[in-house]
Amino acid sequence: MTAELVRGQNHPLSQARLEIRVSAGTPIVAAATLGDEDGRAHSVEWVAHPGAPTLPGLEVSRQAAADHRLAVDLDALSAEVHRVSVLLALPVGVGGPVSFGSAAVPFVAVTGLDGTEVASYTITGLDAESAVVALELYRRQGAWKVRAVGQGYAGGLAELLTDQGLPQAPQLATSINSAVVEGLARSLQAPPPRTPEGDRSRQTATSALGPDQSGSPYTTQGATGPYPGAQGATGPYSGAPGRPDGGASPTDPAAAQPTPAAPSSGGPIDYSHPRRQNAAPPPPPPTAPPAEPGQPARPVAGDATGWSMDERLYNQVWGMFEDLARTTAAYRSAVDFADTRLEKELDQVLSDPRSRIGGQGDAARETAQAKHVQLVDQAREALERDLVQLTAEADVVEPALPVAYARWDNPVWHAYRVPMEMPMAFRLGDLQLPESDPLRIPMLVRLPLERGLWIDAGRTAASDGSFADSHELRQLAMESAVAHTARLLAVHPADEFTVHVVDPAGSGAQALAPLVRAGVLAAPPAVGAAGVADVLGRLTQRVDLVQMAVRGGAADSLPPGFDTSQQLLVVNDFPHGFDDRAVNQLRYLADEGPAVGVHLMMVADREESSAYGPLLDPLWRSLLRLTPVADDHLADPWVGHAWTYEPPLVPHGSQVLEQVLAQVAAARVKYR
């Protein structure tokens, strides 16, 4: 799996022989320097560039180009070499861009010899810089890693090489540029373009897709947003992460769709959506109003790709999530780098006996501390700038969300009507990071649910000091489950979602009262062991029946009057009232139910089922754990952040939940 790095982030390298692939969209110079333990290049012989492209274990391109492949053999490097820095620079005097701010965003990928990407980095945030340290491969404790650097230099190659510790940097930069100019003079010119008829397929594609859809399906964050790109709009997707050309990434919806085959002879090519042949193309995303000079473009709700406004808002919300994850990862990595650098510089001061006494040591320590403060302040400034942009976008997006995505205090609920079709997702709560407070990102989960939900009624690190006893926490957990259930009922058509409740001891009666009074449950909450066995038996039989029908290709041969709606089982106070047979049935429903429309929501304290030992471990792992109070237990596998989850509880004293359930109940009466 490719690691998409952000500035300052590192990734381990498991291979010695690598390729570093560069794509920039405009001719650039690619070079590399070798460095010792301190990152210093000893002489010009430690620099591979177009005039001297080969060093032991390292080879770079011989001339400027839009695409490069650098070969690296880490095992062939000298023992003195502890760092390989990949440098990119714009050639001087060849008529091209003079700064990276006016060129396409460079993209760098570290791959194996078979082309498999190990790590990639899109170098964003460049402006007046004409040279940049893109990546560095460095050895630490015998293991090699790659770090995304992205350090730009407005003074070009001369300033960059000077920072690498080369006293002959200006002369070397001049010789590199001379070699590049000579190489371009010797290179062949591209053939003249064909007549307009010669590229008919591309013209047809552009005209069929329209100007707003001919490139990446996602718009680009403004120049001052978290991920600057070429278009300067305010959408959350920077031309698809990891793609310098702005094309659709492998995870984009547009890239995932199969392309219709071209006709074998003549005629226009059909570029319409393969599964929506009769549907009109999606309307173009909203356009942001023009921004004042020097100011970022104003955010617009729905500024993402999609066939409907709901889909565009869904994509925009998750784009905001990715942007927040990236900018926070960059900030944390930068702070970690500053801490490591400070520690290293202080160790160097203490290792020299001459600097331990007198003012020399104190001056060195003060200098190191000042550098550390400067680096952290720069990282914090970049983070704050990104958070301002994301907060402005959230302020625009939140009021525009439909009921399925909206908080309970959103005015959109006052105009609620029972929908005619199921939405693509619904809101499970909010997510935030410590650095981003008070910014919250809606946690949207696709429908139908692919796994069950577990509302943890046990004590968490966040709840230990807030609740005097477990009863209050259990009550809050049940209220959270009722809020989730009410939202699921509200976002489904009246006849397409059925709720069953198991409350063996009746301890959740108070929290369940809104559902019971509204009459939206399939039956009153089941109590006692007999009630548990009855509900589980019927739902287990349902799963078996639907599975047999589907596997036998007879899904349309279910018994007359069979309820084909989605089923939700809410279980409170597990494992009270459950015998061994009921426990096995519950595990079966959790594993097999979602595939045939039977979903599980459990309100339970895991500690109370500890007597079952590891038997229930697969059950807990199969459920998405949520908490009734804010808790940082959710982790994303992308950058590994611990996200704080906040449940979507109904505001105290609000009647919105009862009003929504009343409309759901009234609509159900009409369908009976």
Side-chain angles (χ1 to χ4, degrees), residues 387-412:
L387 290 180
V388 168
Q389 182 76 0
L390 282 171
T391 302
E393 188 173 6
D395 291 342
V396 172
V397 169
E398 187 69 49
L401 295 178
V403 291
Y405 307 165
R407 291 196 299 250
W408 285 109
D409 58 356
N410 193 313
V412 71

Side-chain angles (χ1 to χ4, degrees), residues 16-20 57-59 70-74 77 84 137:
R17 302 183 65 187
L18 303 164
E19 274 191 353
I20 299 176
L58 180 62
E59 183 175 1
L70 287 65
V72 181
D73 186 349
L74 299 175
L77 297 175
V84 179
L137 313 181

Side-chain angles (χ1 to χ4, degrees), residues 28 208 366 486:
I28 62 171
E366 290 177 1

